Amino acid sequence: MKSKLLLITPPFTQLNTPYPATAYIKGFLNTINVSSVQADLGIEVILELFSKEGLLNLFQVQSSKFQVGEVSGNSKRIIALQDEYIKTIDSVISFLQGKNPTLALQICQEGYLPEASRFAQLEELDWAFGSMGTQDKGKHLATLYLEDISDFIVECVDANFGFSRYAERLGRSANSFDELYEALQQEPTYIDGVLLSILKERIETVQPDLFLISVPFPGNLYSAFRSAQWVKRNYPEIKISMGGGFPNTELRSLSDARVFEFFDFITLDDGEAPVELLIEAVRSSEVELSLKRTFLLENGKVVYKNNSTKPDYKQAQVGTPDYSDLLLDKYISVIEIVNPMHRMWSDGRWNKLTMAHGCYWGKCTFCDISLDYIKIYEPVAANLLCDRIEELVIQTGQTGFHFVDEAAPPALMRALALEILRRKISITWWTNIRFEKSFTADLCLLLKASGCIAISGGLEVASDRLLKLIDKGVTVEQVANVTQHFTQAGIMVHSYLMYGYPTQTIQETVDSLEMVRQLFEVGVLQSGFWHQFAMTAHSPVGLDPEAFGVIPVSPLLKGFEKGLFANNDVDFKDKTGIDHEQFSFGLKKSLFNFMHGICFDYELQDWFDFKIPKTKIPANFIQKALEKDAILTTKPTAKIVWLGGKPEVEHFTKSKKGNSWEMMRLTFHDKQESFDVQTSKEQGEWLVAILTKLAVINNKVYTFQELKNDFESQLEDFELFWYSKPIHILRNYGLLTL
């Protein structure tokens, strides 16, 4: 008997691109010849709501629930303008899907879109968007228009609504299942009704016997349970399983039996082997099931079964993600806020791939390094990654890639870039990294040549003491140099910033802000985001809080019984007693201005409405770090690559004081300009021959030692030639030492 599988991501994650978990599992199922259908119900619900018919229904629901006098002035305005919203909504959605680009001209002129409270911020953002093109400005205005409608939905129709999350509060406050369980006993909300009508159609079409729900975030949890509840009531024969990021981190100590009124199984960590075993279990009539990392209910009690000897699949075996069934041409690109990296998250569709499972560093003390998704490090070979890239470009028609690594390994990034260039693949890509010294100026140039446009990385707290305590393995000076290498290569740099780490002093917070100010002022950071430290149960801080100077606050104090449902975020008190929350507004406001290249001359005190100490960081700390002389020596094992083409060769004779000798002029053409170098005839002939061998399209990559040996088999004094003017010029135009 063949199983039929339906895989869904419940509302809501991203508007612009599907969350990749179901595509990863579907790709794996293809390798074991199991057919499946996937759906992103988030985008489907959004498109149903934000349509002419959807808005007509919304306004009717509102009028039946509220008298106009009971709502805010903002919602009254939207109600009064409802005909304008209904008239424009389909055109705006089409524009945001990239199907109606000329509408930008009309959107950018006042009077086309109805405007409510979200547009009030336009005046203060005018300077930020002044240089923005018509398409981008149109996207931003259309985003504000959708957010106005979202505000109306939250106030007048469904208080739990949010574009990238739904009823997130119920997921975040989920140490106990009580509140979520109680919400699920209520009548479905209006948004629930839209979701369930789409789900009903999908269940009737697919007729699955196994229904897999991926729950990546707290904001997907309520919808996942609501979907499972509806299927259980209407199709009790269908087996239902939950997997994904939320259960992997939050539900590891699950013991509340009520959860299994909705789900038959909950699997943890990598899903391939557990799902394959679930498929076998659904087919089987055996009483004793062989399962892997799976919760289920037996005799009224929650049990965790990990009794299968089946090993997890290697990354080379899991197949290429399969995006078929998803409505790839219907995702909508939005521009919510003026942050370059956040814009990449929400604008444009990205194929998602992973260079390496887990984290090659695996030491950061705030991170869940005890869990398999971080702990088990397994890179994918560069040639296999390129095979998957080429498959996905054919499958989706999209050449944008977001590598969703915890931290992409520099050596693998180098190998991948070389393979992309060797195969002459034209893609655009970005990923997350550690700011480690392996990212030399030349490696960054190679990554840029392969299509890398942006990287994000954790500077966290810009304090060397705290970076050591975090076990980040970097220093602020090192971060400055690496960000300069990326920036000079033309790759945008986004930094994750943290405040409130255990034992962090007020002085360190102020000094960290000063470091960040200087990084933006010298131009090596282009984007950033501050977040407050959160302690998780599976991080070194959470596992041994005493060692880090924090005191956990037991969930029992809040009336919860620890571990019955979710157990990850841990409330705590810092022994310093500092209220770190008070820094939030000032840190974020200053960063907003720094990202736009202004206010660097402000005193740090100006960002806060309470007294802070003066910074102890010298005003030129970052500048001095960047001015240190580069080391000129080259390791014998360094790989040498030439990104340029073949030169035009011209011979000429040079004379001086009655002596003459033959010379060569090599003229090169790169994409932006032409340049030439002059050498002796002998050196020129060697150089032309060796550049052909060093060309990036070749499979063989030469080391510095091999170059030296080759040169010295014909000529003398390689080091003198290597550090001469001709090579210096070529180093500026694509002769890379990696």
Side-chain angles (χ1 to χ4, degrees):
M1 184 184 81
K2 278 203 168 185
S3 294
K4 292 181 184 174
L5 271 70
L6 175 61
L7 300 77
I8 71 158
T9 305
F12 293 106
T13 47
Q14 287 175 262
L15 300 176
N16 63 310
T17 198
Y19 192 79
T22 61
Y24 275 52
I25 291 295
K26 185 176 174 69
F28 162 72
L29 293 172
N30 293 342
T31 68
I32 59 170
N33 298 313
V34 172
S35 63
S36 61
V37 175
Q38 65 182 326
D40 177 0
L41 297 191
I43 192 63
E44 295 190 38
V45 169
I46 289 292
L47 294 175
E48 186 97 9
L49 283 173
F50 291 86
S51 65
K52 189 172 185 177
E53 186 179 348
L55 290 192
L56 278 166
N57 292 336
L58 270 177
F59 286 116
Q60 285 175 3
V61 169
Q62 179 277 324
S63 63
S64 68
K65 286 180 70 175
F66 294 93
Q67 298 295 322
V68 173
E70 296 174 353
V71 300
S72 68
N74 189 56
S75 287
K76 286 179 187 176
R77 175 172 173 77
I78 293 172
I79 292 164
L81 292 169
Q82 61 182 278
D83 289 345
E84 293 300 320
Y85 285 101
I86 291 164
K87 183 175 84 174
T88 51
I89 187 65
D90 285 347
S91 295
V92 170
I93 291 295
S94 179
F95 165 68
L96 291 174
Q97 290 171 330
K99 299 172 184 174
N100 191 14
T102 55
L103 190 69
L105 298 166
Q106 205 166 359
I107 289 175
C108 290
Q109 294 175 359
E110 288 185 20
Y112 177 72
L113 293 179
E115 300 178 7
S117 64
R118 294 289 182 144
F119 284 77
Q121 62 189 284
L122 262 185
E123 284 183 24
E124 63 188 66
L125 289 184
D126 252 2
W127 55 271
F129 282 91
S131 60
M132 186 178 260
T134 304
Q135 290 294 315
D136 283 352
K137 189 171 183 182
K139 279 183 186 177
H140 179 62
L141 294 173
T143 304
L144 297 180
Y145 160 95
L146 293 184
E147 288 177 335
D148 275 335
I149 301 173
S150 172
D151 292 342
F152 168 78
I153 294 172
V154 170
E155 183 180 357
C156 299
V157 179
D158 190 333
N160 285 322
F161 180 73
F163 277 120
S164 58
R165 57 192 64 85
Y166 185 56
E168 185 177 39
R169 178 186 57 81
L170 294 173
R172 287 207 178 281
S173 62
N175 300 76
S176 163
F177 189 49
D178 290 350
E179 193 175 358
L180 180 55
Y181 188 74
E182 187 179 331
L184 292 163
Q185 306 314 308
Q186 309 302 315
E187 284 297 308
T189 67
Y190 178 76
I191 306 295
D192 292 344
V194 176
L195 163 65
L196 297 177
S197 69
I198 295 170
L199 179 61
K200 179 177 186 288
E201 185 272 329
R202 205 54 52 89
I203 292 287
E204 289 172 352
T205 303
V206 179
Q207 297 185 347
D209 47 19
L210 181 56
F211 179 33
L212 303 178
I213 304 179
S214 175
V215 184
F217 307 116
N220 303 90
L221 187 67
Y222 170 81
S223 291
F225 271 89
R226 190 58 98 178
S227 299
Q229 179 187 52
W230 185 88
V231 172
K232 269 275 171 263
R233 286 176 177 171
N234 293 279
Y235 296 90
E237 71 280 6
I238 296 175
K239 297 298 182 185
I240 309 173
S241 179
M242 181 204 298
F246 183 85
N248 290 350
T249 53
E250 304 275 349
L251 301 184
R252 304 191 77 88
S253 56
L254 177 67
S255 61
D256 195 320
R258 293 173 298 173
V259 170
F260 294 90
E261 294 174 25
F262 306 84
F263 291 92
D264 298 288
F265 310 103
I266 293 176
T267 64
L268 301 182
D269 302 325
D270 290 357
E272 291 84 6
V275 165
E276 185 178 14
L277 289 165
L278 285 184
I279 294 167
E280 293 172 10
V282 168
R283 293 175 182 169
S284 171
S285 57
E286 295 289 324
V287 176
E288 180 60 32
L289 300 177
S290 177
L291 297 172
K292 195 171 186 72
R293 296 190 301 271
T294 302
F295 286 107
L296 69 160
L297 202 64
E298 283 187 349
N299 302 318
K301 290 192 178 300
V302 178
V303 297
Y304 179 69
K305 281 212 167 172
N306 194 20
N307 59 346
S308 171
T309 56
K310 186 179 189 66
D312 277 306
Y313 283 87
K314 297 293 183 186
Q315 291 303 296
Q317 302 171 307
V318 297
T320 302
D322 184 346
Y323 285 89
S324 58
D325 312 322
L326 299 174
L327 310 177
L328 297 184
D329 61 336
K330 294 190 176 178
Y331 284 85
I332 59 178
S333 290
V334 294
I335 299 179
E336 302 163 274
I337 55 175
V338 194
N339 178 308
M341 183 57 76
H342 288 187
R343 186 257 176 89
M344 290 180 65
W345 276 97
S346 63
D347 184 19
R349 222 204 59 67
W350 302 95
N351 296 316
K352 311 264 186 174
L353 274 177
T354 309
M355 290 191 211
H357 180 287
C359 179
Y360 70 94
W361 180 248
K363 296 179 183 179
C364 298
T365 54
F366 60 81
C367 187
D368 292 338
I369 60 174
S370 66
L371 299 185
D372 284 357
Y373 82 97
I374 301 286
K375 182 171 65 176
I376 299 176
Y377 173 66
E378 186 192 341
V380 180
N383 62 342
L384 181 54
L385 277 171
C386 271
D387 290 344
R388 291 175 179 175
I389 286 169
E390 290 179 316
E391 276 186 63
L392 282 172
V393 170
I394 292 168
Q395 182 196 129
T396 67
Q398 303 283 341
T399 58
F401 284 83
H402 174 200
F403 292 97
V404 293
D405 292 62
E406 298 298 324
L412 181 51
M413 290 173 74
R414 179 185 68 190
L416 176 62
L418 287 170
E419 187 68 14
I420 288 170
L421 291 165
R422 196 173 289 131
R423 296 193 193 191
K424 299 183 179 178
I425 301 171
S426 178
I427 62 168
T428 303
W429 62 273
W430 56 291
T431 192
N432 193 52
I433 64 152
R434 288 179 62 249
F435 290 119
E436 63 161 83
K437 60 186 178 184
S438 304
F439 289 107
T440 61
D442 279 11
L443 176 54
C444 292
L445 287 169
L446 177 74
L447 299 177
K448 174 66 174 178
S450 73
C452 180
I453 57 164
I455 56 93
S456 57
L459 170 54
E460 318 308 352
V461 183
S463 150
D464 285 342
R465 181 188 80 84
L466 289 168
L467 285 171
K468 192 172 181 181
L469 192 60
I470 290 170
D471 205 355
K472 195 73 188 174
V474 300
T475 63
V476 177
E477 188 173 304
Q478 183 179 313
V479 170
N481 280 284
V482 170
T483 55
Q484 183 180 47
H485 294 158
F486 278 108
T487 299
Q488 289 178 341
I491 297 172
M492 186 181 78
V493 182
H494 172 89
S495 181
Y496 298 107
L497 305 164
M498 185 190 294
Y499 62 101
Y501 189 81
T503 73
Q504 183 172 351
T505 65
I506 291 175
Q507 184 68 57
E508 284 171 324
T509 300
V510 171
D511 290 348
S512 187
L513 174 57
E514 172 60 17
M515 292 285 205
V516 170
R517 185 194 70 77
Q518 291 185 30
L519 287 164
F520 275 97
E521 186 175 29
V522 300
V524 296
L525 266 189
Q526 293 78 51
S527 176
F529 186 77
W530 286 103
H531 65 277
Q532 189 168 350
F533 169 78
M535 186 164 83
T536 61
H538 310 290
S539 67
V541 179
L543 292 168
D544 188 9
E546 187 64 32
F548 292 88
V550 295
I551 305 162
V553 178
S554 169
L556 288 169
L557 299 178
K558 295 193 271 182
F560 293 152
E561 191 172 342
K562 184 179 180 182
L564 283 181
F565 190 54
N567 178 30
N568 190 38
D569 284 0
V570 181
D571 279 352
F572 68 93
K573 288 182 179 177
D574 190 331
K575 286 182 179 177
T576 63
I578 295 168
D579 175 17
H580 296 289
E581 178 66 33
Q582 66 182 327
F583 290 96
S584 176
F585 182 78
L587 291 173
K588 290 172 183 176
K589 184 177 180 182
S590 60
L591 185 63
F592 178 86
N593 286 278
F594 298 159
M595 278 194 292
H596 293 99
I598 60 172
C599 302
F600 295 123
D601 56 343
Y602 279 36
E603 294 290 333
L604 297 186
Q605 178 64 68
D606 294 343
W607 301 114
F608 303 96
D609 57 7
F610 55 92
K611 188 70 177 167
I612 62 167
K614 285 191 176 295
T615 181
K616 293 183 177 179
I617 305 300
N620 62 348
F621 179 89
I622 297 296
Q623 189 64 54
K624 283 181 72 175
L626 297 176
E627 287 172 354
K628 290 187 177 176
D629 291 335
I631 299 169
L632 289 176
T633 55
T634 306
K635 290 181 180 177
T637 54
K639 292 176 168 57
I640 312 298
V641 173
W642 171 237
L643 298 181
K646 293 180 180 177
E648 296 172 12
V649 177
E650 178 188 347
H651 293 83
F652 65 98
T653 303
K654 197 169 185 178
S655 301
K656 191 174 184 181
K657 294 182 179 179
N659 295 320
S660 62
W661 57 93
E662 290 186 82
M663 297 284 291
M664 280 177 65
R665 180 181 292 110
L666 309 181
T667 302
F668 297 86
H669 305 280
D670 78 358
K671 285 185 275 191
Q672 292 171 303
E673 60 183 309
S674 301
F675 64 96
D676 58 45
V677 299
Q678 294 181 13
T679 69
S680 69
K681 177 175 177 289
E682 295 80 9
Q683 290 177 342
E685 287 173 345
W686 179 84
L687 192 55
V688 171
I690 204 68
L691 287 178
T692 302
K693 293 179 181 178
L694 297 177
V696 74
I697 58 169
N698 297 327
N699 286 320
K700 162 109 176 118
V701 179
Y702 286 80
T703 65
F704 181 76
Q705 186 63 49
E706 287 173 319
L707 239 65
K708 184 175 187 292
N709 294 344
D710 191 286
F711 184 90
E712 292 180 347
S713 69
Q714 307 166 44
L715 302 162
E716 294 181 353
D717 216 340
F718 176 70
E719 272 83 2
L720 190 64
F721 177 66
W722 183 252
Y723 295 109
S724 67
K725 185 178 179 182
I727 297 297
H728 180 73
I729 293 171
L730 291 176
R731 294 287 302 270
N732 289 329
Y733 286 95
L735 182 60
L736 306 182
T737 303
L738 303 169

